[in-house]
């Protein structure tokens, strides 16, 4: 779904956007290692033109299936977030907005809803995704001669091991702390 700035200028009131997007094929093509599946996504909001800039405010919901970051098993994540973006044609309009606002500079005066929704969905996916079993279980992957340990385990092991060649330095540093 797309709108030109010229088309948006013909509306007296904000354009109501209430649509279900089927973006599965696009997402699987663009992010094959990240997206296993995605349900049709419901987008409900408004699009308006203000001082030659387009403002989109929408609620997005659905479900996305991604691989577990530990085992690569499929994990279904709910999608439920607010999307607020400002689209501008002229880079000089950038100074109208705060740094914390999402402002997108367009090459052409056309807003493609699917592109914005896809980018926002990908941004919503956490870095660490675990299955329910992995969340409840502390078993980390291991193999022949290797195993994964938690950061806490690593920190406690690295603090305990002191290279014997450097142990004398520890005494010197503690003497300096006393002064």
């Amino acid at each position: 779904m797309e709108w030109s700035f010229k088309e948006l200028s013909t509306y007296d009131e904000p354009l109501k956007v209430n649509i279900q997007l089927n973006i599965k094929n696009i997402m699987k093509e663009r992010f094959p290692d990240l997206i296993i599946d995605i349900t049709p996504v419901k987008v409900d909001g408004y699009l308006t033109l203000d001082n030659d800039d387009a403002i989109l405010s929408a609620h997005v919901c659905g479900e996305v299936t991604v691989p577990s970051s530990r085992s690569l098993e499929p994990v279904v994540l709910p999608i439920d977030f607010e999307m607020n973006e400002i689209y501008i044609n002229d880079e000089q309009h950038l100074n109208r907005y705060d740094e914390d606002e999402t402002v997108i500079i367009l090459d052409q005066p056309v807003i493609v809803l699917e592109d914005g929704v896809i980018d926002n969905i990908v941004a919503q996916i956490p870095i660490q995704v675990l299955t329910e079993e992995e969340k409840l279980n502390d078993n980390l992957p291991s193999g022949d001669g290797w195993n994964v340990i938690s950061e806490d385990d690593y920190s406690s092991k690295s603090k305990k091991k002191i290279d014997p060649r450097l142990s004398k330095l520890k005494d010197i540093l503690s003497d300096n702390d006393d002064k």
Side-chain angles (χ1 to χ4, degrees), residues 95-107:
N95 63 2
R96 297 178 181 175
Y97 304 101
D98 294 332
E99 287 181 16
D100 62 341
E101 292 180 292
T102 305
V103 180
I104 296 154
I105 303 168
L106 300 173
D107 295 333

Side-chain angles (χ1 to χ4, degrees), residues 30-55:
R30 279 183 57 191
F31 305 99
D33 296 335
L34 181 63
I35 304 298
I36 296 172
D37 194 15
I38 185 166
T39 63
V41 179
K42 178 138 177 62
V43 180
D44 186 23
Y46 293 93
L47 182 61
T48 188
L49 203 59
D50 182 34
N51 290 329
D52 297 326
D53 298 337
I55 301 169

